[in-house]
Structure formats: structure tokens, C-alpha cells
Amino acid sequence: MENKITPKRTIIFCVITFVLTWSLVAVIPLKGYPYGTSIESMLIVSACMFMPTIGNILTRLVTKQGFSDFKLAPKFKGNGKNYVLAYFSFIILIYLGVVVYYLIYREQFALTGGIMYQPALEGQNLLLMQSISLVVSTLISPVINVIPTLGEEIGWRGYLLYGLKNSCGSVKAVWITGIIWGFWHAPMIAMGHNYGTDYPGYPVVGILLMVVFCVFIGIIESYLTLRADSVLPAAICHSAVNGLAAIGLTFVNTSEYNTLLGPTYAGFIPFIPTIAAGFYIMHRIKKEEL
């Protein structure tokens, strides 16, 4: 079938996407841009989010596959439940993760500001200001980043997931897509993304933890993609994650914390509820035969 995503096309997609992304990321150290703090590095990382979509398009052009099944149509009709889940699932999971972390590390918790407190705000109602900030950021997080997250999801969930599903079935496709997505982040992790560079086992442990992170986030995103037959629910999920991943830092009162453990969502402890949810969703994928 001409339009089918074959194993060969899946490999071509991965090669194109990785080469484009890693070549672009290499500009950061080659030019000496400070990672995460310079405008140049932030623009480059933002551009990287669109490389999976470019990989999707180029693969279709190179292999003459066509664009009739691009998975970009939202397909709202009959998918209301999937979009509600996409909007709220990671909001709930991320806040649950914050609770779990601070139940374990109670000594790090500060309700009003923590280390984010600024002397210029002295005398202000910090609790009110922080509450408003949290409510606003929570409500807009699933949609504020949806354009760049579509840049990734059109590739990962819209092409790779379906290509692997064609060759090895949904369950294996979900696992493998998450693993590939995680390793795609390797050079960014090595430069300090999410975990910095000062932790035991740098950068291998950080890269492996990022793979776990992507696998279990990817399970939920893939489930909603397969149910809706659209990448938009995955992009909404991804947007919520990007928008709220650092929310745990709002309450931390010290800079002496282990980035591998938290308090950001990329740390292992805040991620525990998502791992539990991921295993449950994998059961649903098998049961519903998606």
C-alpha cells in the first residue's frame, strides 16, 4: 500500500529527524552559547521541537508516500472524553507528583515563594500572588505551548507510532516510540537540560531517566492519539507537561536538592504517579486493542 508507513520509512524518518536535530543542537557548544541561559541556545532548542515534523514531511517526500494520512485533523466529534483527558490528565499527575515529593522532603517545602522569593516583593501578599500565578499557569499550560509541541508530536505520535504499530502492534509501538523519543533528547540532557550537569552518573543517568520520562508520558499521549486518531490530544498533553514541569520549584526553599529526584516533574519522585498511570494505560491499550 503506497501510503502505508513501512519499516523502511520508519527508519528513514528516525535517521532524518535525529540527524537534523543533533546537528542543530551541536551548534550550541560549537558556538559556545551557554545552554539554557542564552537567547541563542533557547532559540535553537525551540527550533529542535519542529524537527520531527520536518522529518515526517521529508520522509513522505523522499519515499513518495503522500500526505493523505497526516493525523493532524483534530476530529473533535465523538472525542470529547479524549480531549478532556488530554487537558486535565497531566495537570492532575504533575500536582500529585509535587505532593508526593514534598511529603517525602517536607523540610524543603515553603508555601509562599521558597527560593523564588524576591526582596522587592517584601510586604506584598505573597500567598495571593503565588496562588493567582499557579491558577493562571495551570489553566493555560495545556494550550500555551501547543504549536511547538505539535512540532514534535506530528513526528513522534503522528508518524513513528503508527509506523511501528503497522509492523509490531500497538503495545510494542508505544514502548519503542517512547524509548526513541527519550534518546532523541540525549545531547540536550548532556548539556544540562532538566537535570543540570552536577549529579552522580552524569550524563548517562540523566539520559536514562529522560528515557523513562518519555516512555511513560508517551504511553498516555499515544493512548489518546490512537483513540482520537489525531496528534492534537498528544500535543495538548505535551503542552501541559512543558508548561507545568517546573511547578515544584515554586515551593522549594533550598538550592541543595538532587535534580534526579525532584522537585521538578522530570525528577523521579514527582514522576511516580505518572509511572503508575502509565502501567494502567498500557493495560487499557491491550484491553481496547487499539
Side-chain angles (χ1 to χ4, degrees):
M1 185 176 178
E2 186 63 27
N3 193 48
K4 186 176 181 179
I5 307 174
T6 62
K8 180 180 178 181
R9 285 170 172 161
T10 302
I11 293 170
I12 291 171
F13 163 78
C14 288
V15 171
I16 291 174
T17 301
F18 273 70
V19 169
L20 287 176
T21 306
W22 289 11
S23 298
L24 188 56
V25 172
V27 173
I28 296 174
L30 288 175
K31 290 290 188 178
Y33 300 139
Y35 185 85
T37 57
S38 65
I39 294 176
E40 295 87 350
S41 70
M42 289 186 282
L43 288 174
I44 288 171
V45 171
S46 296
C48 286
M49 295 184 71
F50 294 92
M51 293 305 107
T53 289
I54 294 174
N56 183 341
I57 294 170
L58 290 179
T59 300
R60 291 174 181 272
L61 291 173
V62 168
T63 65
K64 298 180 172 58
Q65 180 184 339
F67 294 85
S68 63
D69 194 19
F70 206 62
K71 304 300 180 185
L72 189 56
K75 300 183 180 179
F76 293 122
K77 187 176 181 180
N79 281 306
K81 180 180 179 180
N82 294 321
Y83 279 97
V84 170
L85 287 171
Y87 190 95
F88 288 105
S89 57
F90 282 99
I91 291 176
I92 295 169
L93 289 170
I94 289 169
Y95 274 101
L96 277 176
V98 170
V99 170
V100 170
Y101 181 82
Y102 285 112
L103 283 175
I104 295 173
Y105 291 99
R106 296 182 185 182
E107 72 282 0
Q108 294 183 13
F109 181 77
L111 182 61
T112 53
I115 62 172
M116 299 177 73
Y117 168 79
Q118 298 293 327
L121 298 175
E122 190 170 358
Q124 303 294 320
N125 189 330
L126 292 177
L127 182 58
L128 177 62
M129 293 173 66
Q130 184 165 299
S131 298
I132 293 172
S133 176
L134 286 173
V135 169
V136 172
S137 61
T138 298
L139 291 176
I140 68 173
S141 65
V143 294
I144 192 68
N145 298 305
V146 79
I147 298 301
T149 57
L150 269 174
E152 284 197 46
E153 296 306 336
I154 288 172
W156 302 129
R157 248 54 61 178
Y159 197 87
L160 181 60
L161 175 66
Y162 281 91
L164 290 169
K165 180 187 175 183
N166 289 339
S167 58
C168 61
S170 296
V171 172
K172 288 182 180 179
V174 171
W175 289 115
I176 297 170
T177 299
I179 292 169
I180 292 173
W181 181 33
F183 276 115
W184 175 77
H185 292 86
M188 294 84 125
I189 299 299
M191 283 186 278
H193 188 69
N194 282 343
Y195 309 108
T197 58
D198 185 22
Y199 56 84
Y202 164 84
V204 174
V205 174
I207 292 170
L208 293 177
L209 191 54
M210 188 63 186
V211 171
V212 173
F213 184 73
C214 288
V215 164
F216 283 93
I217 288 175
I219 289 172
I220 299 170
E221 291 186 2
S222 296
Y223 175 67
L224 294 174
T225 295
L226 293 172
R227 281 174 58 96
D229 198 33
S230 169
V231 298
L232 186 55
I236 293 171
C237 289
H238 197 155
S239 178
V241 170
N242 285 4
L244 291 174
I247 205 76
L249 293 175
T250 306
F251 306 101
V252 71
N253 62 15
T254 176
S255 59
E256 300 298 321
Y257 54 83
N258 187 331
T259 56
L260 297 176
L261 298 179
T264 71
Y265 186 52
F268 180 74
I269 292 175
F271 200 62
I272 290 173
T274 303
I275 293 174
F279 280 117
Y280 170 74
I281 295 298
M282 282 304 301
H283 170 71
R284 297 298 307 176
I285 292 172
K286 294 177 184 177
K287 185 175 180 180
E288 294 178 25
E289 298 181 350
L290 294 174

